[in-house]
Amino acid sequence: MNENLPPCPQCSCGYTYEMNALVVCPECGHEWVPAEGGAEPGIPAERVVKDSVGNVLKDGDTVVVVKALKVKGSPSGIKSGTKVRNIRLVDGVDGHDIDCRIDGLGAMQLKSSVVRKG
């Protein structure tokens, strides 16, 4: 029996047990996924943003666009291989989680799935 399991968040029962990837309370029947890495309850976990090949991105990184992108109002768009410096990670709309400035086009948001760390 594992003594490191947390008590039930609903009824505070201390007799919880693991069932596959869940923790189960035998008294009230509540099931939940335990916090990863001992994170405090109520504190949101840090969001991890990965590029198209799985590298973890962070603020200030330089990335390279891996496929040509169309941009509204621009006849040429963004070409594959364009280097973008000093990115900022944001909670964007519709999966756009990189805030950046591209030479010749200005400020815009990109999806992390179309860039790789460079």
Side-chain angles (χ1 to χ4, degrees):
M1 185 171 205
N2 189 356
E3 288 83 26
N4 297 332
L5 292 175
C8 177
Q10 287 194 343
C11 70
S12 300
C13 172
Y15 298 108
T16 57
Y17 61 93
E18 287 182 298
M19 185 172 66
N20 298 328
L22 298 174
V23 177
V24 181
C25 175
E27 289 186 6
C28 68
H30 180 64
E31 299 176 346
W32 72 97
V33 178
E36 297 284 332
E40 294 290 323
I43 299 174
E46 185 175 328
R47 192 173 64 113
V48 177
V49 177
K50 295 185 178 183
D51 66 1
S52 61
V53 293
N55 297 322
V56 177
L57 298 174
K58 59 186 181 211
D59 288 344
D61 280 346
T62 298
V63 295
V64 177
V65 178
V66 295
K67 70 179 210 176
L69 302 172
K70 295 180 182 177
V71 178
K72 237 184 227 185
S74 173
S76 62
I78 302 172
K79 294 180 181 176
S80 178
T82 302
K83 191 175 271 192
V84 181
R85 292 180 179 87
N86 199 18
I87 64 168
R88 194 173 72 220
L89 301 178
V90 295
D91 290 328
V93 180
D94 202 27
H96 294 81
D97 46 10
I98 297 175
D99 198 17
C100 63
R101 182 175 306 277
I102 298 177
D103 293 336
L105 294 173
M108 62 178 50
Q109 290 186 340
L110 298 173
K111 292 183 178 182
S112 57
S113 60
V114 298
V115 298
R116 68 175 166 78
K117 198 169 185 175

